[in-house]
Amino acid sequence: INKKNYWFKLFSIFGYSLTMPAYFINPVDDEHIDLLNRLNKQNQDLRVFISDKNSKDFTNKVPGKKAIGDITDDSHISTASEGAYCGIFFEGNSIQLRDIFLNAIKNSNLQRILWISQEEPVNNILEIENLTYIKYSDKQNYFDTVLNLEGIEQINEKFIDLN
């Protein structure tokens, strides 16, 4: 018998999880559904903060435990992050979310932060401890990078440029 599988099954029987909750903030399109399904499978404890501006049809497709609220209110985001280990903040090209995300991160207990953006990082973002900034272009697939970083014990990079 594989010892790792034995312990995993034993912990699962008693309701324990060997993974730490991941928290994805701001899924915006059907491509994110694929990433979220992969994160949910990998992590087995996925939480998602969805803007209340998204359609009910889109929201219903999102896997994991969902919190629906005002994406422009940092207190909604930080409150919903309670108990999560890794926060994955999707900024895309919505630069107006920067200050909101910064405040949400400062008011959370997240131990790891992945920030996904098409925009250049600024120092006050890169100065956050345990934050890795992933810059991508429309044509870049950042999914594998996010899945890899969410699943490893320690991240050494502060800035990853996929362009």
Side-chain angles (χ1 to χ4, degrees), residues 11-107:
F11 277 104
S12 296
I13 290 169
F14 293 107
Y16 295 101
S17 172
L18 298 177
T19 58
M20 299 297 283
Y23 176 51
F24 192 97
I25 299 91
N26 196 32
V28 295
D29 57 31
D30 284 342
E31 288 182 4
H32 279 147
I33 301 297
D34 178 45
L35 173 59
L36 294 172
N37 280 322
R38 291 168 64 187
L39 271 170
N40 195 37
K41 183 177 181 183
Q42 173 177 297
N43 187 278
Q44 299 181 2
D45 191 1
L46 176 65
R47 300 164 188 194
V48 184
F49 186 89
I50 306 166
S51 171
D52 56 7
K53 304 282 189 254
N54 284 315
S55 73
K56 186 175 180 180
D57 183 50
F58 175 78
T59 301
N60 288 338
K61 290 190 249 180
V62 172
K65 297 173 187 165
K66 302 170 211 167
I68 302 165
D70 184 355
I71 195 71
T72 62
D73 186 336
D74 60 89
S75 68
H76 288 197
I77 297 168
S78 59
T79 300
S81 75
E82 188 66 34
Y85 177 79
C86 178
I88 305 164
F89 289 76
F90 181 77
E91 177 185 48
N93 61 4
S94 301
I95 202 160
Q96 70 274 14
L97 292 175
R98 285 205 165 176
D99 287 337
I100 296 160
F101 283 0
L102 283 168
N103 287 333
I105 290 167
K106 288 176 185 171
N107 292 318

Side-chain angles (χ1 to χ4, degrees), residues 123-140:
N123 284 340
N124 60 340
I125 295 172
L126 294 177
E127 291 169 355
I128 296 172
E129 191 176 335
N130 299 324
L131 183 140
T132 299
Y133 193 95
I134 303 166
K135 183 175 183 234
Y136 75 99
S137 68
D138 280 332
K139 296 178 182 151
Q140 283 299 116

